[in-house]
Amino acid sequence: KLNKPYMCAVPLVFQSFEEWQASELGLHPIQVALQVSLPEIDGAIEPIIYAGREGATGRSVPLADRVNLLADRALKWSKLSNKPKEDKKIAITIFSFPPDKGNVG
């Protein structure tokens, strides 16, 4: 066990970058299942799109701003792992569905 975060870097497979940006649904459902949900079962965190499919050729093209975002998040996770425990802050969120005070906790 490495005891390190497993980040989920996701290239667009079924959509071009423009289609993904314009979509009200976001990622194609099959891509969500294969590249987000299944990796999350294995412990992946923070799925981040880093490449888009070129509409004309279908080839995968890295998107500089998304690659930079992914690298920045990886650096921040690395810094957090080296930070002393007493300097770390945590937040706990409780999922409440259906929403009602009686369902919290």
Side-chain angles (χ1 to χ4, degrees):
K1 291 185 177 184
L2 297 176
N3 197 26
K4 299 293 178 197
Y6 162 26
M7 296 184 68
C8 188
V10 181
L12 292 172
V13 176
F14 298 102
Q15 300 158 287
S16 69
F17 186 68
E18 291 78 17
E19 290 169 335
W20 172 64
Q21 278 189 314
S23 173
E24 291 183 18
L25 296 175
L27 282 178
H28 189 281
I30 293 173
Q31 186 159 359
V32 170
L34 296 176
Q35 292 185 291
V36 176
S37 299
L38 288 176
E40 282 182 352
I41 291 170
D42 292 332
I45 59 168
E46 291 194 79
I48 296 175
I49 304 292
Y50 74 91
R53 187 176 56 80
E54 192 175 67
T57 64
R59 70 183 183 95
S60 188
V61 178
L63 303 161
D65 63 326
R66 308 295 296 179
V67 171
N68 289 337
L69 172 68
L70 186 60
D72 184 53
R73 294 302 299 162
L75 286 172
K76 287 180 180 182
W77 276 107
S78 177
K79 287 178 185 176
L80 182 63
S81 70
N82 294 317
K83 187 180 250 191
K85 288 184 170 111
E86 60 272 9
D87 294 337
K88 294 179 184 179
K89 298 176 184 176
I90 65 166
I92 299 172
T93 59
I94 300 173
F95 180 72
S96 173
F97 189 84
D100 186 12
K101 291 178 186 171
N103 292 321
V104 175

